[in-house]
Amino acid sequence: MRLITPRAARALLAGAGVLAAAACGQSASPAANTAAAQATAQPSATPTEVSNCGATYRFERPPRRIVTSSTIATEIVLALGARDRLAGTVAPGELLPEVAASFEGVNIIAKSAFPPPSKETVFAANPDFVVSGYGDDYGPKALGDRAQLREEGVNSYLLSGNCPGRKASVEDTYTDIRELGRILGARPRAEELVSRLTAEVDAVRPVSGTPKVFDYAGGLEKPSTAGSNGLIDDLIRRAGGENVFPEVTSYAQISWEELVKRDPDAIVVEDQAFEPADKAIAFLTSYEPIRNVTAIREKRFVVIPVNDTQPGLRNGRALKTLVAGLAR
């Protein structure tokens, strides 16, 4: 079996929801704003500095042409009221209902996020700011080095829960919203959004008993898991559970034999395009070597859409789903 990388899995899910064709972008340099962009009403220009993934980025004015590279990034930008400055997006997928209506008419520069869009594809939208959900957007075959982008007039922001080496938490989402609010000149809206999300998360009460939980991110010959540095680990903890593979810090394969030894009480099934939850559960319940695992025997599966397991506006929804599933 070919190992599906976490970016591939997430991108496949996002791409499945795209119905519109990719619109043709402009060929102008991203550092040069078009006349139309200059004419767009903008928040007052006040220089802003933010820290992201260990580097400092300076914005002389709020960005005028934004490109988002994932569903989770697009949702935050829309929720902050920057639809009029969204110059393009990659594989928007199924958006949250509260922001979906405002997405209509946005330029889709690429219908697939795997492999990540090339620099040429993104620059065709003439951006001055790129908001990303995944670190490999800045790989050598994608946008490339963020410092080099900055020299070319394009600032960037990576949702901090997915910064390399970082252990993600729900608080990272609050930081991202506040920082992007500062960048976009939308601080009041950002604070309102953080307050709502904080209340949603804080209202969830964990289950008792500390059930052992396995995050299943797909795989037949060997199961994959997102790793304890991923946001799903923080969500499991907040729900009252315990990750059965705490030593696996990043997305990786483990063995079925080791899963049997850890004997989880429940299994989180990430619902993904390449392996939908119903097919994943059908496999798990029919695979003879794991038939005596408690979660399999008792059919305690918690299905969570893969985008809900990532940093962004879906954290509260994912947490509530987890608690409801673990409480069964």
Side-chain angles (χ1 to χ4, degrees), residues 111-176:
K111 291 190 289 182
S112 174
F114 180 76
S118 68
K119 188 174 184 177
E120 291 73 21
T121 296
V122 174
F123 273 31
N126 192 27
D128 57 4
F129 185 42
V130 176
V131 185
S132 303
Y134 300 96
D136 54 355
D137 282 334
Y138 304 107
K141 294 184 178 181
L143 278 167
D145 183 67
R146 293 178 69 185
Q148 178 62 37
L149 291 176
R150 185 167 44 190
E151 291 181 8
E152 296 176 27
V154 179
N155 259 327
S156 59
Y157 192 95
L158 172 61
L159 297 185
S160 54
N162 282 334
C163 286
R166 184 176 183 85
K167 183 170 177 58
S169 72
V170 169
E171 281 77 11
D172 291 329
T173 293
Y174 307 153
T175 297
D176 291 333

Side-chain angles (χ1 to χ4, degrees), residues 248-270:
V248 180
T249 57
S250 60
Y251 186 92
Q253 288 182 321
I254 51 98
S255 70
W256 291 116
E257 293 78 10
E258 191 59 34
L259 180 65
V260 171
K261 291 178 184 177
R262 306 286 174 105
D263 192 27
D265 300 305
I267 295 177
V268 170
V269 179
E270 297 189 19

